[in-house]
Amino acid sequence: MDWADRFPDCGTGHSSVKTGSGSVRSLGGDMRASLSAVCILASFSSVAIAGPKEEALAVLDEWTKAFAASDVDAIVKLNAPDALFMGTGSQTVVTDPAAIRKYFEGALLTRKPRAAPISSSEVMVLSDTAVVIAGLNNSTGVSDGKPFSNPGRVTFVIAKRGSDWKIVHFHRSAMPQ
């Protein structure tokens, strides 16, 4: 649906306005052009503007797709340069993009195909520039020709850095038995 469908009286060249006394008066050319411009702007403003929650969830969606595609470059790019990272197999807190890359190269490139869909999550907006997402996921893949499934708990802190939203903290641990 375009703006003309949503605003049928806008920009048709047959604009009129009802006055306070109830009479109808035709609008002049300049007024029609102004009204058309207002209608066009109104149609654009009807598009929802994403807030922090939506922006963070979009990053999470990108991460999930990159993980499933075993796209190490895409995952690394989603992290802030100073991100704190603790994967399921991490033995220390990782603070270097090269170490995050090494972790995902080992995890994703050797056990294809992979997936880690989030089965349930809670989102907490901390501010206009920071969001926490905590949830449950199930990391699956194939190792030595055999499928595996590793349910876990995952936390993302996603923050606005400049004009981009980046993962500033990631933690995943296996689900307790």
Side-chain angles (χ1 to χ4, degrees):
M1 174 180 282
D2 67 8
W3 70 271
D5 293 328
R6 282 190 269 181
F7 303 96
D9 294 331
C10 291
T12 62
H14 303 291
S15 301
S16 59
V17 70
K18 190 177 276 193
T19 65
S21 64
S23 63
V24 175
R25 164 167 72 103
S26 187
L27 299 176
D30 288 341
M31 185 62 110
R32 277 195 302 270
S34 296
L35 182 58
S36 294
V38 168
C39 289
I40 290 169
L41 290 173
S43 71
F44 289 127
S45 68
S46 67
V47 175
I49 297 173
K53 178 179 179 178
E54 294 79 14
E55 296 284 358
L57 288 171
V59 171
L60 180 59
D61 185 53
E62 288 180 51
W63 185 92
T64 302
K65 289 176 183 172
F67 191 97
S70 296
D71 189 343
V72 174
D73 289 336
I75 286 180
V76 171
K77 287 178 185 175
L78 290 171
N79 287 274
D82 59 344
L84 303 176
F85 176 89
M86 291 190 305
T88 307
S90 295
Q91 295 182 357
T92 63
V93 177
V94 176
T95 59
D96 177 52
I100 294 173
R101 173 178 296 284
K102 183 177 179 182
Y103 179 91
F104 280 109
E105 286 173 347
L108 294 178
L109 301 181
T110 60
R111 301 179 201 150
K112 291 182 189 180
R114 293 296 306 255
I118 307 293
S119 57
S120 67
S121 65
E122 296 293 328
V123 179
M124 180 185 292
V125 176
L126 301 175
S127 71
D128 288 343
T129 60
V131 177
V132 176
I133 303 171
L136 304 176
N137 76 347
N138 190 26
S139 180
T140 62
V142 176
S143 181
D144 298 324
K146 297 179 184 176
F148 69 88
S149 177
N150 182 3
R153 303 166 296 176
V154 64
T155 303
F156 291 85
V157 178
I158 302 171
K160 191 168 187 179
R161 296 290 177 87
S163 62
D164 297 323
W165 286 84
K166 297 286 186 179
I167 299 167
V168 297
H169 171 77
F170 172 87
H171 177 251
R172 185 183 189 277
S173 57
M175 186 68 73
Q177 299 295 331

